[in-house]
Amino acid sequence: MAIVAVLYDWLLFLHIVAAMVWVGGLVALNVLVAIVLRGGGTDEVARFVSALRVVGPATLAPAMLGVLAFGIWLVLDSDTWSFGQTWVWLALVLFGVAFLVGAVFQSRSALAAQHAVESGDGAEAARQLRRWAWGMRVILVVLLAVVWDMVFKPWL
């Protein structure tokens, strides 16, 4: 058993850690937003919406970029994997779907919720946060499909 890992092993490790942070962060946010929305308090909604401005850029965005970068690097470094394999391009397509939902839908809902909080419209902030929560669930389901794809490598 070799003690020194090769580049591929480090890339795989970093790819998995980034995916853990991304998927785990989404699971945690889904649980927290459900608690906040059940409580229904304007202050709780405002605090959660404010926290999103930090959590997304500081945690989720770097994890997402890490998943993509290390995943692409893994394929480039491997003699076994190629971008022509169905499971690889399926993962990239699903990643693109998750990215687009986040960039188009999630960002708009979060910004609308933030504007509603700033204008003192608690009901609109909660409504936008509910929309955001639905988008998060969609992204989480898409990412779970990616994880399934990565583990089982269908059509290989």
Side-chain angles (χ1 to χ4, degrees):
M1 178 152 115
I3 295 177
V4 178
V6 296
L7 175 62
Y8 182 88
D9 295 329
W10 283 107
L11 294 173
L12 183 60
F13 171 75
L14 293 170
H15 180 68
I16 291 170
V17 168
M20 289 169 51
V21 170
W22 193 16
V23 173
L26 293 181
V27 169
L29 283 175
N30 272 291
V31 170
L32 291 173
V33 75
I35 292 168
V36 166
L37 289 172
R38 273 195 204 118
T42 304
D43 291 341
E44 291 92 348
V45 169
R47 278 195 301 276
F48 186 85
V49 168
S50 294
L52 289 178
R53 294 180 62 167
V54 176
V55 171
T59 306
L60 299 179
M64 177 195 63
L65 292 173
V67 167
L68 180 62
F70 294 124
I72 289 172
W73 199 352
L74 277 164
V75 174
L76 293 173
D77 185 63
S78 172
D79 293 332
T80 306
W81 313 130
S82 76
F83 291 106
Q85 292 173 312
T86 305
W87 73 276
V88 173
W89 65 256
L90 178 61
L92 290 169
V93 167
L94 291 173
F95 175 91
V97 169
F99 177 80
L100 285 175
V101 170
V104 175
F105 183 79
Q106 292 304 99
S107 61
R108 292 172 73 163
S109 295
L111 287 172
Q114 182 65 42
H115 291 305
V117 165
E118 291 168 356
S119 67
D121 189 349
E124 178 62 14
R127 187 177 81 77
Q128 291 297 331
L129 190 56
R130 276 188 198 84
R131 288 185 65 201
W132 180 89
W134 274 106
M136 268 307 208
R137 290 180 196 119
V138 168
I139 292 171
L140 185 56
V141 167
V142 170
L143 291 183
L144 291 175
V146 173
V147 171
W148 174 85
D149 180 57
M150 294 280 113
V151 169
F152 294 106
K153 296 174 181 53
W155 309 288
L156 185 62

